[in-house]
């Protein structure tokens, strides 16, 4: 029996595939080896992991737009020639007019080739859709020299204090949450920090509810209390750090966050007393314009308490695409452009650029000013998941969209390339504990659809690039294992024969942790809309809405408002409302809920609420505001 990886969230759960005549595939739980999912169990998405693949809506042949949204079938030869000739025309003079975007669910091999393709064309304008969440977290960990405390799932179970910050683990990472519950059954305390009451908070011994965007004030107060009462001398803070921390008494933090000072002191005591602690965090703190500062500060707190850490990632390969260098400022293996000569030699190309490229947010802005001529989008529906993306795509001369289904993004494309699903190609992905896992092909792609890596090899050869003569993904993984230090142990011979996967090769770092403090904080006028995810939905629904069992249960997700706000605004259950921000509007049906903090509104991520976030890029941090925004609410008559 083959063992495969779930194609949804970053937990990296595994399952056996059983082929049967009556049904194409059956899943069998993995109970005999150590896999990320405890006892081999899967969540509803995992149990439905094959459903989307056999949908009749699959893209099966290359398509060319004859007018916006109207397509005709073309051959692969014509599609490749047309794209290659467009790219060649920019390659000579202005490769930075091209932008390359990938979703966080493409395999390591396809991700590696995608950035190799972009960089060999001459541009570092390359990014992935997990950048402003997981990418920010990984960068913060590496910049802090704190990789050595990056936890595995087993270490969650061994902890006696678990802090879950800005994540509804029970809903979005149910199989990681099982590890938390196992620790709880052995006596661990669970602290959840989240403005909402959620399925996760039901299991918490303490729940702190900071107002959206104010987490950094809470972290600073905790650092302050730890300094007073514990190992302040062992941490090398600068004078400016001490000045920032000194301001954050529990009472001052209460004013900013709404969390009672007594509760902050209680949590600080728990942290000080914990023998083995861990902090897990999610997009609830990472996707703000101060996300990098918040994560660095969380790491500072963790280093003072000698806690483990675990950043959570929404997509099955958010970790891998970041490792592979689908980032505008980092090369594969997190090398900076100071190391560009290493890749010039490895890829036999002296022309590689060492100029930091555009990230997604900046490319969307630049496209609207006419400075981007083409987007190549692989496995991402940015027209729905990013504010202003639709406008940006409409201002662009040429769009290549490579995907498994028609989406709002492929609708705007000039050429659509039909891709294979995750299960229709061999390949590896890396989960959030940095476990690299091989997943074999379990069926052939339908009709003319092809794996992403195979499309990239054809295209690169047509463009005239060398170094893309791969016939199997194993050959690409071999190249990765020779160039990316973290994957040095994951050569194809070993990885394909190790069903438990292989954890990043870490080396031993003797570098001290670099502590960091900040009090940079976004400000919002209430009501504030925050976006949230549901267990049976994934990203913009491209796969889950084609999975009948998930679609039946997780449709029409409501906008949740508090009871206080409902009576203040005269809104009741099932009213249709319009949320209006500076960037647009989102319409949905209301449910009044006791779980919501007054002044906040909870909207489902999956149906396009993200489009109304602000793409204003913070001048100091360079990050957009992607988790929360001020809005108005009105009834739709
Ligand atoms: Fe798949 Fe994530 Fe569910 Fe595991 S927790 S089965 S990886 S969606």
């Amino acid at each position: 029996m083959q063992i495969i990886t779930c194609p949804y969230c970053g937990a990296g759960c595994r399952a056996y595939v059983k082929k049967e005549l009556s049904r194409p595939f059956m899943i069998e739980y993995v109970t005999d080896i150590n896999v990320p999912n405890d006892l081999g169990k899967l969540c509803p998405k995992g149990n439905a992991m094959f459903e989307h693949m056999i949908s009749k809506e699959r893209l099966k042949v290359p398509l060319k737009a004859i007018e916006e949204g109207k397509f005709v079938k073309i051959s692969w030869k014509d599609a490749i020639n047309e794209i290659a000739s467009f790219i060649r025309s920019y390659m000579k003079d202005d490769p930075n007019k091209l932008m390359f975007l990938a979703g966080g669910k493409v395999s390591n091999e396809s991700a590696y080739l995608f950035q190799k393709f972009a960089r060999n064309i001459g541009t570092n304008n390359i990014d992935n859709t997990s950048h402003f969440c997981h990418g920010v977290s990984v960068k913060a960990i590496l910049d802090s020299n704190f990789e050595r405390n990056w936890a595995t799932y087993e270490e969650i179970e061994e902890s006696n204090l678990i802090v879950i910050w800005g994540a509804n683990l029970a809903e979005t990472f149910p199989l990681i949450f099982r590890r938390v519950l196992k620790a709880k059954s052995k006596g661990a305390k669970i602290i959840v920090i989240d403005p909402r009451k959620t399925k996760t908070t039901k299991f918490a011994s303490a729940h702190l509810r900071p107002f959206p965007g104010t987490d950094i004030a809470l972290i600073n107060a905790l650092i302050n209390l730890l300094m007073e009462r514990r190992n302040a001398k062992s941490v090398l803070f600068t004078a400016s750090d001490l000045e920032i921390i000194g301001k954050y008494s529990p009472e001052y933090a209460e004013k900013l966050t709404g969390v009672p000072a007594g509760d902050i002191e209680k949590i600080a005591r728990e942290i000080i007393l914990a023998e083995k602690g861990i902090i897990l965090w999610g997009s609830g703190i990472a996707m703000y314009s101060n996300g990098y500062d918040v994560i660095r500060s969380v790491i500072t707190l963790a280093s003072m308490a000698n806690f483990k850490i675990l950043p959570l990632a929404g997509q099955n390969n958010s970790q891998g695409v970041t490792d592979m260098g689908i980032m505008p400022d980092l090369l594969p293996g997190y090398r900076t452009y100071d190391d560009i000569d290493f890749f010039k030699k490895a890829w036999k190309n002296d022309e590689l650029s060492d100029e930091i490229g555009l990230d997604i947010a900046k490319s969307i802005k630049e496209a609207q000013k006419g400075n981007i001529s083409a987007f190549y989008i692989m496995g991402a529906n940015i027209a729905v998941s990013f504010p202003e993306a639709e406008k940006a795509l409409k201002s662009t001369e040429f769009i290549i969209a490579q995907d498994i289904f028609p989406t709002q993004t492929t609708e705007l494309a000039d050429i659509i390339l039909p891709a294979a699903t995750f299960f229709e190609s061999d390949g590896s992905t890396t989960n959030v504990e940095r476990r690299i896992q091989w997943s074999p092909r379990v069926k052939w792609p339908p009709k003319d659809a092809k794996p992403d890596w195979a499309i990239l090899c054809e295209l690169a050869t047509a463009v005239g690039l060398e170094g893309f003569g791969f016939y199997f993904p194993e050959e690409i993984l071999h190249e990765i294992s020779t160039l990316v230090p973290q994957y040095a142990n994951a050569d194809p011979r070993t990885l394909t024969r190790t069903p438990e996967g292989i954890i990043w090769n870490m080396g031993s770092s003797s570098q001290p942790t670099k502590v960091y403090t900040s009090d940079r904080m976004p400000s919002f006028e209430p009501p504030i809309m925050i976006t949230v995810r549901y267990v049976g939905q994934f990203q913009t629904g491209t796969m889950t809405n084609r999975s009948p069992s998930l679609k039946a249960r997780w449709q029409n997700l409501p906008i949740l408002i508090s009871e206080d706000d409902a009576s203040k605004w005269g809104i009741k259950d099932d009213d249709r409302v319009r949320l209006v921000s500076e960037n647009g509007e989102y319409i949905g049906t209301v449910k009044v809920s006791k779980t919501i903090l007054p002044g906040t509104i909870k909207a489902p991520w999956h149906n396009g609420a993200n489009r109304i976030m602000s793409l204003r890029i913070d001048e100091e941090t360079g990050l957009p505001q992607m988790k929360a925004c001020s809005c108005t609410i009105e009834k739709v008559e």
Side-chain angles (χ1 to χ4, degrees):
M1 255 188 309
Q2 292 170 303
I3 185 166
I4 50 161
T5 312
C6 174
Y8 285 111
C9 86
C13 298
R14 303 275 269 173
Y16 285 126
V17 188
K18 223 168 133 187
K19 296 192 181 181
E20 293 212 340
L21 284 179
S22 53
R23 293 179 61 180
F25 307 104
M26 296 275 287
I27 288 166
E28 199 157 288
Y29 288 172
V30 182
T31 51
D32 56 336
I33 55 170
N34 170 21
V35 287
N37 36 329
D38 182 38
L39 297 176
K41 295 260 191 292
L42 299 166
C43 77
K45 283 201 292 287
N47 281 318
M49 67 171 94
F50 293 137
E51 289 184 13
H52 67 281
M53 196 166 51
I54 49 175
S55 161
K56 290 198 167 57
E57 292 177 58
R58 287 286 303 276
L59 289 166
K60 294 177 186 160
V61 291
L63 299 169
K64 177 178 173 164
I66 42 171
E67 59 185 79
E68 192 183 303
K70 274 203 170 172
F71 296 91
V72 292
K73 181 184 158 183
I74 53 171
S75 66
W76 268 109
K77 193 168 165 236
D78 289 348
I80 294 286
N81 284 344
E82 191 156 330
I83 297 168
S85 97
F86 185 89
I87 289 177
R88 268 198 307 265
S89 68
Y90 278 90
M91 219 169 131
K92 282 188 230 112
D93 303 324
D94 212 352
N96 285 333
K97 287 252 170 165
L98 309 175
M99 181 71 205
F100 292 79
L101 290 178
K105 53 188 190 301
V106 299
S107 70
N108 289 326
E109 293 71 25
S110 299
Y112 173 79
L113 280 199
F114 196 54
Q115 61 80 37
K116 184 177 177 182
F117 181 57
R119 290 187 160 116
N120 277 282
I121 281 167
T123 184
N124 293 317
N125 288 348
I126 177 148
D127 205 357
N128 75 83
T129 53
S130 300
H131 179 156
F132 298 123
C133 180
H134 198 62
V136 166
S137 293
V138 176
K139 192 163 171 4
I141 296 169
L142 299 178
D143 289 351
S144 305
N145 288 335
F146 208 57
E147 305 96 285
R148 60 180 164 271
N149 277 36
W150 195 326
T152 61
Y153 298 161
E154 261 123 32
E155 286 169 313
I156 300 174
E157 288 181 32
E158 292 160 9
S159 304
N160 58 19
L161 181 69
I162 299 171
V163 181
I164 303 170
W165 208 318
N168 179 6
L169 214 60
E171 184 94 26
T172 46
F173 302 93
L175 271 300
I176 300 181
F177 192 57
R178 275 179 70 94
R179 306 278 186 164
V180 174
L181 293 180
K182 269 182 120 175
K184 186 179 161 77
S185 71
K186 290 190 252 169
K189 286 191 177 158
I190 300 167
I191 296 169
V192 180
I193 305 173
D194 193 322
R196 314 159 286 161
K197 283 187 189 164
T198 63
K199 283 184 186 165
T200 308
T201 61
K202 284 185 192 153
F203 296 89
S205 50
H207 176 202
L208 308 189
R209 306 180 76 185
F211 212 64
T214 64
D215 299 82
I216 206 155
L218 183 55
I219 301 164
N220 284 340
L222 290 170
I223 292 175
N224 194 352
L225 289 166
L226 256 70
M227 288 208 27
E228 271 177 24
R229 300 184 193 168
R230 204 181 174 190
N231 53 354
K233 287 197 191 82
S234 65
V235 179
L236 296 173
F237 285 115
T238 62
S240 73
D241 288 330
L242 294 173
E243 198 184 319
I244 290 174
I245 297 162
K247 283 192 289 188
Y248 285 86
S249 65
E251 293 72 24
Y252 182 53
E254 177 178 342
K255 268 193 208 149
L256 298 173
T257 63
V259 177
D263 289 355
I264 301 175
E265 295 202 19
K266 212 166 118 197
I267 299 306
R269 262 195 312 276
E270 299 278 12
I271 292 174
I272 289 165
L273 293 174
E275 277 164 32
K276 273 189 173 181
I278 180 167
I279 305 177
L280 299 92
W281 69 81
S283 63
I285 54 172
M287 281 180 84
Y288 285 92
S289 57
N290 68 340
Y292 177 82
D293 291 37
V294 174
I295 307 305
R296 290 286 312 255
S297 304
V298 166
I299 293 166
T300 298
L301 179 68
S303 74
M304 291 174 76
N306 196 22
F307 275 22
K308 294 278 173 178
I309 52 163
L310 189 71
L312 302 162
Q315 302 187 64
N316 67 332
N317 204 28
S318 299
Q319 181 66 50
V321 296
T322 314
D323 298 343
M324 292 304 115
I326 301 210
M327 298 282 273
D329 54 344
L330 289 168
L331 294 159
Y334 301 96
R335 292 179 200 268
T336 65
Y337 289 108
D338 292 344
D339 274 342
I340 194 71
D341 286 348
F342 177 86
F343 285 99
K344 282 183 180 172
K345 199 167 159 212
W347 294 340
K348 300 186 178 67
N349 182 350
D350 285 336
E351 307 294 318
L352 296 183
S353 163
D354 59 0
E355 191 185 318
I356 289 178
L358 296 173
D359 63 28
I360 297 190
K362 291 186 187 113
S363 71
I364 289 173
K365 291 286 186 198
E366 289 303 314
Q368 291 173 81
K369 292 184 214 154
N371 296 333
I372 293 291
S373 301
F375 280 92
Y376 186 161
I377 304 166
M378 181 169 82
N381 187 10
I382 63 162
V384 177
S385 58
F386 272 81
E388 300 180 31
E390 192 179 342
K391 274 190 255 165
L393 294 174
K394 285 184 173 168
S395 328
T396 307
E397 191 188 334
F398 193 65
I399 299 166
I400 307 144
Q402 188 166 307
D403 217 318
I404 58 173
F405 285 111
T407 65
Q408 293 87 337
T409 302
T410 64
E411 279 295 294
L412 301 172
D414 294 277
I415 305 270
I416 302 177
L417 301 177
T421 63
F422 183 65
F423 297 123
E424 291 162 351
S425 171
D426 302 298
S428 67
T429 49
T430 309
N431 75 357
V432 296
E433 59 175 345
R434 296 155 303 134
R435 193 192 296 224
I436 308 155
Q437 302 183 119
W438 186 259
S439 200
R441 175 175 51 72
V442 295
K443 88 179 248 305
W444 291 103
K447 226 170 168 185
D448 293 348
K450 296 184 185 186
D452 291 319
W453 64 266
I455 299 171
L456 289 164
C457 288
E458 270 187 54
L459 199 49
T461 306
V463 165
L465 300 178
E466 283 180 25
F468 288 82
F470 300 105
Y471 294 98
F472 300 100
E474 286 90 336
E475 296 169 288
I476 307 167
L477 181 61
H478 173 70
E479 181 166 313
I480 294 169
S481 69
T482 60
L483 300 180
V484 176
Q486 296 84 348
Y487 286 60
N489 298 338
D491 63 279
R493 257 182 99 76
T494 315
L495 190 67
T496 54
R497 293 170 191 183
T498 313
E500 297 89 350
I502 292 170
I503 299 271
W504 260 24
N505 172 45
M506 284 281 297
S508 56
S509 164
S510 53
Q511 299 287 321
T513 306
K514 288 190 201 153
V515 294
Y516 181 97
T517 62
S518 159
D519 57 358
R520 197 179 280 133
M521 202 159 49
S523 73
F524 301 103
E525 272 303 309
I528 303 170
M529 180 192 83
I530 50 176
T531 48
V532 295
R533 295 165 202 252
Y534 288 82
V535 67
Q537 275 293 350
F538 181 69
Q539 299 297 98
T540 61
T542 304
M543 288 149 71
T544 42
N545 284 336
R546 269 86 176 205
S547 303
S549 72
L550 300 174
K551 192 175 175 193
R553 277 182 69 192
W554 283 277
Q555 276 295 295
N556 306 321
L557 302 169
I559 291 173
L560 302 181
I561 62 173
S562 72
E563 291 178 327
D564 287 4
D565 288 336
S567 69
K568 193 163 82 191
W569 298 328
I571 292 173
K572 55 182 188 331
D573 275 347
D574 300 324
D575 279 350
R576 296 279 291 165
V577 295
R578 178 183 288 117
L579 306 179
V580 184
S581 77
E582 62 174 31
N583 243 343
E585 60 177 52
Y586 174 77
I587 293 177
T589 304
V590 157
K591 189 165 171 358
V592 179
S593 169
K594 286 187 173 57
T595 63
I596 303 299
L597 201 61
T600 66
I601 295 170
K602 188 164 128 178
W605 197 95
H606 315 286
N607 305 343
N610 246 26
R611 268 197 286 220
I612 74 167
M613 291 291 173
S614 163
L615 203 70
R616 243 185 295 147
I617 298 164
D618 186 293
E619 279 181 17
E620 286 181 55
T621 65
L623 296 173
Q625 187 63 55
M626 294 285 291
K627 187 65 190 176
C629 68
S630 299
C631 67
T632 58
I633 181 166
E634 60 196 35
K635 270 204 239 184
V636 179
E637 300 303 338

